Amino acid sequence: PETITVAELANRMAERGADLVKALFKMGMPVTVNQTIDQDTAELLITEFGHNFKRVSESDIDIVASTEDEPEGTLLPRAPVVTIMGHVDHGKTSLLDALRGTDVAAGEAGGITQHIGAYQVTVPSGDKVTFLDTPGHEAFSEMRARGANVTDIVIIVVAADDGIRPQTIEAINHTKAAGVPMIVAINKVDKPGGNAQKVREALLQYDVQVEAMGGEVQDVEVSALKRTGLDELIDKILLQAEILELKANPDREAEGTVVEAQLDKGRGPVATILVRKGTLKVGDIFVVGAESGKVRALIDDKGKQVKTAGPSVPVEVLGLSGVPGAGDTLTVVENEARAREVAEYRAGVIQRKRTTQAPANLESMFSQFR
Ligand code: GDP
Ligand code: MG
């Protein structure tokens, strides 16, 4: 049976662990914050505190609303969040770069794109797609382990001339474990010696049936180098997104996930936040992991200062008390006293369980996957 520690659940709910312990005691379960409870108890507790949850997979739950139910009719479509995985050298970075090149909004911003760990592309139809640029399978499972199920769709890149390799299998397994739909991008089809059909057939061995093989997994032939097949890939992402009916309420206090964070020489602690719901605004007071702060500035993936960032939008946040960890949740709270209280409490919990702590920047640890 799946379990979660009281502390971790409190963290996800942005509640105090002590309050959860109290509630559990009343329910006849005397436990401490460091003890684990099973999924049914967790769900009961989440409801008890007036939060919502959804089972994102058989083994994981996601808390979808902090303090109130999302009122009827407040949910609006949001852009899909896509992660690219695959074996080293199969073209993950090249594909990310190529997809970034399709952004019709990039020109307007002067073409200066900066690396903030995630970016959003506006495709010619006007639809938007957010790509997470934190590659690496460990990064993906680490984020998940920390309760950050940020990815809606995984693209598995397989080089047509190299076929299924160990990290391809790993990527398939991670994606299945997360219960996230995948799209197979067969890359390097420009290369002589590439055999896309062989890849499709080989995938069957790993229980991945692409459409051409009578299955339901979408696949597309691309060349990141020659920039072919990209429109088709984007169409498939949008189609998958439509099936998923991705929605969020932009009209509430923001909640987001740290994609990466570091101490910047001139700007102090900086975190890239992927907004999950609500709208993050300059001036908002927030808790993020064991840190707190007030949004001093928001900078988008084109390096432009913005006043707000809505669901599925990645944005750099300035004004943090310190550097949070990748996968930490940012929650906007009503006032500074509340922010400090939650942050201090979390700091205590995090200190106690800091044995194998996640790095502040997942990328630094998993740079070999780039
Ligand atoms: P990653 O390790 O998965 O991020 O792979 P990279 O994007 O770094 O690509 C590895 C190598 O494959 C680089 O030398 C790329 O130029 C090359 N490459 C990537 N995509 C293509 C492609 O579509 N066609 C060809 N011919 N080479 C590619
Ligand atoms: Mg790479």
Side-chain angles (χ1 to χ4, degrees), residues 88-94 96 135 367-370:
V88 66
D89 280 345
H90 278 199
K92 296 180 293 296
T93 303
S94 305
L96 272 166
S367 50
Q368 72 267 25
F369 287 103
R370 286 188 65 85

Side-chain angles (χ1 to χ4, degrees), residues 16-350:
R16 288 163 18 145
D19 293 340
L20 265 62
V21 167
K22 223 183 279 173
L24 283 163
F25 186 81
K26 278 191 204 154
M27 287 155 68
M29 273 172 283
V31 293
T32 68
V33 284
N34 294 317
Q35 278 179 290
T36 56
I37 53 176
D38 63 27
Q39 180 145 353
D40 289 339
T41 310
E43 291 181 0
L44 201 63
L45 212 51
I46 294 164
T47 316
E48 186 82 0
F49 276 77
H51 298 252
N52 284 336
F53 66 86
K54 66 167 192 239
R55 281 181 194 251
V56 290
S57 71
E58 262 188 32
S59 62
D60 210 352
I61 47 174
D62 196 9
I63 288 130
V64 294
S66 308
T67 45
E68 77 284 296
D69 288 23
E70 299 291 347
E72 200 67 34
T74 57
L75 294 175
L76 295 178
R78 63 169 179 83
V81 178
V82 178
T83 299
I84 300 185
M85 295 203 275
H87 196 74
V88 66
D89 280 345
H90 278 199
K92 296 180 293 296
T93 303
S94 305
L95 190 58
L96 272 166
D97 289 347
L99 287 163
R100 190 170 208 158
T102 64
D103 190 354
V104 295
E108 303 157 20
I112 311 156
T113 48
Q114 54 166 22
H115 176 84
I116 65 167
Y119 61 88
Q120 197 174 60
V121 167
T122 306
V123 303
S125 64
D127 292 303
K128 291 177 196 309
V129 180
T130 301
F131 292 96
L132 276 186
D133 195 0
T134 45
H137 308 160
E138 277 89 348
F140 183 78
S141 30
E142 175 72 32
M143 294 267 265
R144 256 177 51 72
R146 311 197 74 213
N149 293 290
V150 292
T151 302
D152 300 308
I153 298 165
V154 171
I155 296 177
I156 309 258
V157 180
V158 187
D161 63 335
D162 200 27
I164 314 293
R165 307 274 288 147
Q167 288 166 323
T168 319
I169 301 166
E170 225 177 271
I172 291 168
N173 291 339
H174 281 311
T175 307
K176 286 191 170 176
V180 175
M182 67 176 87
I183 296 172
V184 178
I186 304 174
N187 190 32
K188 306 197 187 185
V189 293
D190 60 284
K191 267 181 121 172
N195 190 336
Q197 187 54 26
K198 215 171 119 189
V199 171
R200 289 186 195 100
E201 284 165 20
L203 283 168
L204 292 174
Q205 264 181 275
Y206 304 96
D207 238 353
V208 178
Q209 275 188 303
V210 299
E211 283 172 337
M213 304 299 292
E216 299 199 326
V217 175
Q218 302 193 85
D219 72 290
V220 53
E221 292 183 22
V222 298
S223 165
L225 192 72
K226 302 272 188 231
R227 315 222 151 173
T228 60
L230 300 178
D231 292 345
E232 203 188 331
L233 176 56
I234 287 169
D235 283 347
K236 302 214 163 181
I237 293 168
L238 293 173
L239 177 65
Q240 186 65 63
E242 217 179 289
I243 295 166
L244 291 171
E245 292 188 69
L246 303 168
K247 288 190 170 121
N249 177 6
D251 243 347
R252 46 159 290 159
E253 330 76 73
E255 227 178 271
T257 302
V258 177
V259 173
E260 61 177 35
Q262 67 275 325
L263 190 61
D264 189 289
K265 240 187 181 170
R267 303 183 298 167
V270 181
T272 296
I273 302 295
L274 178 65
V275 178
R276 309 285 305 280
K277 56 192 156 197
T279 297
L280 189 60
K281 305 181 186 78
V282 172
D284 275 351
I285 294 160
F286 62 84
V287 182
V288 57
E291 306 298 337
S292 58
K294 183 171 180 173
V295 180
R296 200 170 75 226
L298 295 173
I299 299 152
D300 73 8
D301 56 351
K302 317 269 186 315
K304 206 175 79 199
Q305 287 225 21
V306 291
K307 291 241 151 47
T308 62
S312 293
V313 174
V315 71
E316 268 194 328
V317 177
L318 274 62
L320 294 87
S321 63
V323 181
D328 278 346
T329 300
L330 176 143
T331 310
V332 170
V333 293
E334 61 269 33
N335 57 49
E336 273 160 33
R338 176 77 182 132
R340 266 195 305 274
E341 191 183 37
V342 178
E344 272 165 26
Y345 176 76
R346 284 187 189 174
V349 172
I350 289 167

